[in-house]
Coordinates of all heavy atoms in Angstrom, one line a residue:
A102 N -9.2 57.2 -75.7 CA -9.9 57.0 -76.9 C -9.6 55.8 -77.7 O -10.5 55.1 -78.2 CB -9.6 58.3 -77.8
D103 N -8.3 55.4 -77.8 CA -7.9 54.2 -78.4 C -8.4 52.9 -77.7 O -8.9 52.0 -78.4 CB -6.4 54.1 -78.5 CG -5.8 55.1 -79.5 OD1 -6.6 55.6 -80.4 OD2 -4.6 55.4 -79.4
G104 N -8.3 53.0 -76.4 CA -8.8 51.8 -75.6 C -10.3 51.6 -75.8 O -10.8 50.5 -75.9
A105 N -11.1 52.7 -75.8 CA -12.5 52.7 -75.9 C -12.9 52.1 -77.2 O -13.9 51.4 -77.4 CB -13.1 54.1 -75.7
A106 N -12.1 52.5 -78.3 CA -12.5 52.0 -79.6 C -12.3 50.5 -79.7 O -13.0 49.8 -80.4 CB -11.6 52.6 -80.6
R107 N -11.3 49.9 -78.9 CA -11.0 48.5 -79.0 C -11.7 47.6 -77.9 O -11.9 46.5 -78.1 CB -9.5 48.3 -78.9 CG -8.8 48.8 -80.1 CD -7.2 48.5 -80.1 NE -6.6 49.4 -79.0 CZ -6.2 49.0 -77.9 NH1 -6.3 47.8 -77.5 NH2 -5.6 49.9 -77.0
R108 N -12.1 48.3 -76.8 CA -12.5 47.5 -75.6 C -13.8 48.0 -75.1 O -14.0 47.9 -73.8 CB -11.4 47.4 -74.5 CG -10.1 46.8 -75.1 CD -9.1 46.5 -73.9 NE -8.8 47.7 -73.1 CZ -7.9 48.6 -73.4 NH1 -7.2 48.5 -74.5 NH2 -7.7 49.7 -72.6
S109 N -14.7 48.5 -75.9 CA -16.0 48.9 -75.4 C -17.0 48.5 -76.4 O -16.8 48.5 -77.6 CB -16.1 50.4 -75.0 OG -16.0 51.1 -76.2
W110 N -18.2 48.1 -75.9 CA -19.3 47.6 -76.8 C -20.6 48.0 -76.4 O -20.9 48.1 -75.1 CB -19.3 46.0 -76.8 CG -17.9 45.5 -77.0 CD1 -17.4 45.1 -78.3 CD2 -16.9 45.1 -76.1 NE1 -16.1 44.6 -78.1 CE2 -15.8 44.6 -76.8 CE3 -16.9 45.2 -74.7 CZ2 -14.6 44.2 -76.2 CZ3 -15.7 44.7 -74.0 CH2 -14.6 44.3 -74.7
N111 N -21.4 48.4 -77.3 CA -22.8 49.0 -77.0 C -23.9 48.1 -77.5 O -24.1 47.9 -78.7 CB -22.9 50.4 -77.6 CG -24.1 51.1 -77.1 OD1 -25.1 50.6 -76.8 ND2 -23.9 52.5 -76.9
H112 N -24.6 47.4 -76.6 CA -25.6 46.5 -76.9 C -27.0 47.0 -76.6 O -28.0 46.3 -76.7 CB -25.4 45.2 -76.1 CG -24.1 44.4 -76.5 ND1 -23.9 43.8 -77.7 CD2 -22.9 44.3 -75.8 CE1 -22.7 43.3 -77.7 NE2 -22.1 43.5 -76.6
A113 N -27.1 48.3 -76.3 CA -28.4 48.9 -76.0 C -29.2 49.0 -77.3 O -28.7 49.0 -78.4 CB -28.2 50.3 -75.4
V114 N -30.5 49.0 -77.1 CA -31.4 49.1 -78.2 C -32.5 50.1 -78.0 O -33.1 50.1 -76.9 CB -32.1 47.7 -78.4 CG1 -33.1 47.7 -79.6 CG2 -31.1 46.6 -78.7
T115 N -32.7 51.0 -78.9 CA -33.7 52.0 -78.8 C -35.1 51.3 -78.6 O -35.5 50.5 -79.4 CB -33.7 52.9 -80.0 OG1 -32.5 53.7 -80.0 CG2 -34.9 53.9 -79.9
G116 N -35.9 51.8 -77.6 CA -37.1 51.3 -77.3 C -37.1 50.1 -76.3 O -38.2 49.6 -76.0
A117 N -36.0 49.6 -75.9 CA -35.9 48.5 -75.0 C -36.5 48.8 -73.7 O -36.4 49.9 -73.1 CB -34.4 48.0 -74.9
R118 N -37.1 47.7 -73.1 CA -37.6 47.8 -71.7 C -36.8 46.8 -70.9 O -36.0 46.0 -71.4 CB -39.1 47.5 -71.7 CG -39.9 48.5 -72.4 CD -41.4 48.5 -72.1 NE -42.0 47.2 -72.5 CZ -42.7 47.1 -73.6 NH1 -42.6 48.1 -74.6 NH2 -43.2 46.0 -73.9
V119 N -37.0 46.8 -69.6 CA -36.3 45.9 -68.8 C -36.4 44.4 -69.2 O -35.5 43.6 -68.9 CB -36.7 46.1 -67.3 CG1 -38.1 45.6 -67.0 CG2 -35.7 45.5 -66.3

Side-chain angles (χ1 to χ4, degrees):
D103 291 340
R107 291 181 289 107
R108 300 192 304 278
S109 70
W110 308 272
N111 193 321
H112 296 288
V114 177
T115 293
R118 299 197 292 270
V119 69

